[in-house]
Amino acid sequence: MQLLSTVNAVRQYVAAARRQQQSIGLVPTMGYLHEGHLSLARKAREQNDIVIMSIFVNPTQFGPGEDLERYPRALERDRELAAATGVDAIFAPAVPEMYPDGYATYVRVEGITEYLCGASRPGHFEGVATVVSKLFNIVQPDRAYFGLKDYQQAQVIKRMVIDLNIPVEIVTVPTVREADGLALSSRNKYLTPVQRQSATALYQALKKGAVLIRSGERRAEIVREAMVAEILSRPETRVDYVAVSDAQTLKPITTINKGKVLLALAVWVGNTRLIDNLTVEVADNVAHHDEEQATPG
Ligand code: PAF
């Protein structure tokens, strides 16, 4: 497996693959790989001749006071995991390679970034859209892979590639969960044992919301309140947001109608902010939650 750290090295690597008519899948990550990232890499491995994974803790998507400095990094371990999963090359640039002196260009997606994480983390999605569009321009992949744990991020990227005519297919992959439902995240590493126990409340709350909708509840506020109560019943938890939203526009809804509903939440567990979501397909009278579940094998 190749370890590439400059844009030029990636361009040369990609040009060689293209001369051999090879298709390219890109898996953008911030490293500290877990089974969720590896499920993206496996999907990319199935669908492309060459799999490139980027590992870059992107400073522009962290706000002031967020965890940029303490975000976990483990490049050696990541290299081994990526190689064992069939990744052909890692692109791990230093910050000045991506943002050299004089850097001044940012990509802003409007509308869907007003809600959920976009509302509580101003500038976050601008940083994500900027770095992902740079990665798309550097690698020029046929396909790129994103996990549905970051549902809003995946929607933002899909909107961006349509609006900017970027010729890449966006493939989304189901959230990978621990046996007790906690969605895998590099940030789970921050949790103390008590907090780790409390963190199961996120998925419990989502399931509670889905059950209420499935049993016919159509008032979003009732669903939301039940989810909030579930979270606050655990030690060291604080709600950032709990939302019942339209799964396309991400706009909060008041009445649950036929169609796809997104239950999304961000919760502080101690000093760690965790997110999760579930989509529920609502037919006229029956609803079923349609997240394909993936658990580590
Ligand atoms: O999901 C992530 O890890 C990051 O937001 C991404 C897409 C790699 C951009 O930095």
Side-chain angles (χ1 to χ4, degrees):
M1 191 184 62
Q2 300 264 338
L3 181 63
L4 311 168
S5 57
T6 65
V7 173
N8 266 336
V10 175
R11 291 212 190 282
Q12 283 174 25
Y13 182 85
V14 166
R18 291 295 185 200
R19 279 194 293 275
Q20 294 170 53
Q21 320 278 313
Q22 289 176 308
S23 61
I24 296 172
L26 172 67
V27 182
T29 81
M30 299 206 300
Y32 206 72
L33 302 180
H34 53 62
E35 192 59 32
H37 300 113
L38 300 181
S39 73
L40 303 179
R42 274 188 215 107
K43 189 62 152 187
R45 179 71 287 157
E46 272 167 43
Q47 297 184 334
N48 303 276
D49 298 318
I50 297 285
V51 177
I52 301 179
M53 175 183 277
S54 61
I55 297 183
F56 180 61
V57 181
N58 172 37
T60 64
Q61 71 188 74
F62 288 79
E66 290 188 357
D67 58 344
L68 172 62
E69 284 80 23
R70 71 167 182 147
Y71 196 85
R73 292 157 167 92
L75 188 57
E76 264 321 301
R77 183 176 153 276
D78 288 351
R79 272 173 84 155
E80 284 166 26
L81 287 169
T85 314
V87 170
D88 298 295
I90 286 179
F91 175 44
V95 172
E97 183 70 11
M98 294 297 273
Y99 300 109
D101 279 350
Y103 189 88
T105 305
Y106 294 88
V107 177
R108 185 164 52 86
V109 176
E110 297 181 346
I112 54 172
T113 57
E114 282 171 32
Y115 312 107
L116 312 175
C117 289
S120 34
R121 301 182 71 189
H124 169 67
F125 286 118
E126 191 165 311
V128 169
T130 298
V131 81
V132 171
S133 59
K134 283 172 68 68
L135 291 167
F136 287 173
N137 284 329
I138 294 164
V139 176
Q140 302 188 5
D142 297 280
R143 300 177 192 82
Y145 295 79
F146 295 88
L148 281 173
K149 190 191 66 115
D150 299 299
Y151 183 94
Q152 187 173 20
Q153 169 172 278
Q155 295 291 107
V156 168
I157 304 297
K158 283 181 184 171
R159 184 77 253 162
M160 178 184 82
V161 300
I162 293 170
D163 291 354
L164 296 183
N165 310 96
I166 304 179
V168 56
E169 180 191 340
I170 303 304
V171 181
T172 55
V173 176
T175 303
V176 180
R177 299 180 180 284
E178 302 279 8
D180 63 6
L182 178 66
L184 297 198
S185 163
S186 303
R187 291 188 169 98
N188 293 349
K189 173 189 156 59
Y190 301 146
L191 304 172
T192 65
V194 169
Q195 292 168 352
R196 169 65 186 79
Q197 193 52 42
S198 287
T200 59
L202 279 83
Y203 189 56
Q204 292 303 321
L206 291 168
K207 289 223 299 202
K208 190 166 252 183
V211 165
L212 275 172
I213 295 172
R214 228 179 294 130
S215 64
E217 182 57 65
R218 292 293 174 264
R219 293 163 298 177
E221 193 49 31
I222 301 291
V223 174
R224 232 185 58 77
E225 279 167 10
M227 293 169 66
V228 169
E230 178 68 34
I231 287 157
L232 296 181
S233 72
R234 311 296 182 93
E236 296 190 56
T237 56
R238 193 156 51 87
V239 169
D240 177 357
Y241 67 76
V242 169
V244 179
S245 299
D246 179 289
Q248 262 70 50
T249 64
L250 307 191
K251 200 173 167 175
I253 53 180
T254 49
T255 304
I256 297 162
N257 291 314
K258 190 165 174 284
K260 202 170 176 184
V261 173
L262 174 72
L263 303 178
L265 40 77
V267 173
W268 288 95
V269 184
N271 292 325
T272 304
R273 183 179 175 279
L274 301 176
I275 60 170
D276 201 353
N277 70 83
L278 210 57
T279 51
V280 183
E281 193 66 54
V282 182
D284 279 332
N285 283 313
V286 260
H288 59 92
H289 71 92
D290 64 358
E291 182 194 63
E292 301 151 63
Q293 279 301 313
T295 35

